[in-house]
Amino acid sequence: MSDCIFCKIAAGEIPAKLIYQDDEMLAFHDIKPAAPVHFLVIPRAHIASCAELTAGHAPLVGRMLVKASELAREQGLTEGFRTLINTGRNGGQEVYHLHIHVLGGPQPLGAPF
Ligand code: AMP
Ligand code: ZN
């Protein structure tokens, strides 16, 4: 997707504070952090949102979640963290390239709901 900001990050066309990449996913710090640690895990492939996922994506999404947890630990979130996926207009999604938010810090996060 030529006009997708996260595809451009995946292609190295715009900079990001990368914390991990392999052949199928990347993780980078959110540009507008909502917690002391706030990073995003995205697939390299353009998948617009969680609503576009099919059964074939399940292994990839599973590996993304495993990596999110590993990276959370590496980022110091040993006492816990929050994962979040916003989907679609009513889910508050702003960037239409699937991403898992990982948020945390030294203190407990406020209640999300
Ligand atoms: P969402 O509302 O779930 O679509 O969240 C999109 C997230 O992407 C927001 O937290 C933004 O701060 C973040 N974001 C947007 N552009 C960039 C960028 N160039 N680098 C890092 N994070 C970004
Ligand atoms: Zn994309």
Side-chain angles (χ1 to χ4, degrees), residues 5-6 9 14-17 28-34 38 40 84-87 91-97 99 101:
I5 191 161
F6 286 179
I9 288 174
I14 64 167
K17 287 166 68 182
F28 51 89
H29 291 285
D30 196 291
I31 204 166
K32 211 177 134 195
H38 183 182
L40 307 173
L84 179 71
I85 302 176
N86 295 322
T87 303
Q93 187 174 1
E94 291 176 359
V95 176
Y96 278 77
H97 180 129
H99 49 284
H101 293 260

Side-chain angles (χ1 to χ4, degrees), residues 9-10 18-27 44:
I9 288 174
L18 282 182
I19 56 177
Y20 178 78
Q21 59 177 323
D22 63 23
D23 59 344
E24 64 177 1
M25 71 181 86
L26 297 88
R44 279 194 184 278

Side-chain angles (χ1 to χ4, degrees), residues 4 17-18 23 42-43 46 49 53 60 70-71 75 78-79 82 85 106 108 110-113:
C4 171
K17 287 166 68 182
L18 282 182
D23 59 344
I42 73 165
H46 182 84
S49 83
L53 290 175
L60 166 64
E70 282 177 21
L71 294 173
Q75 293 291 315
T78 54
E79 301 303 316
R82 179 170 296 154
I85 302 176
F113 307 115

Side-chain angles (χ1 to χ4, degrees), residues 11 78 81 102:
T78 54
F81 55 89
V102 181

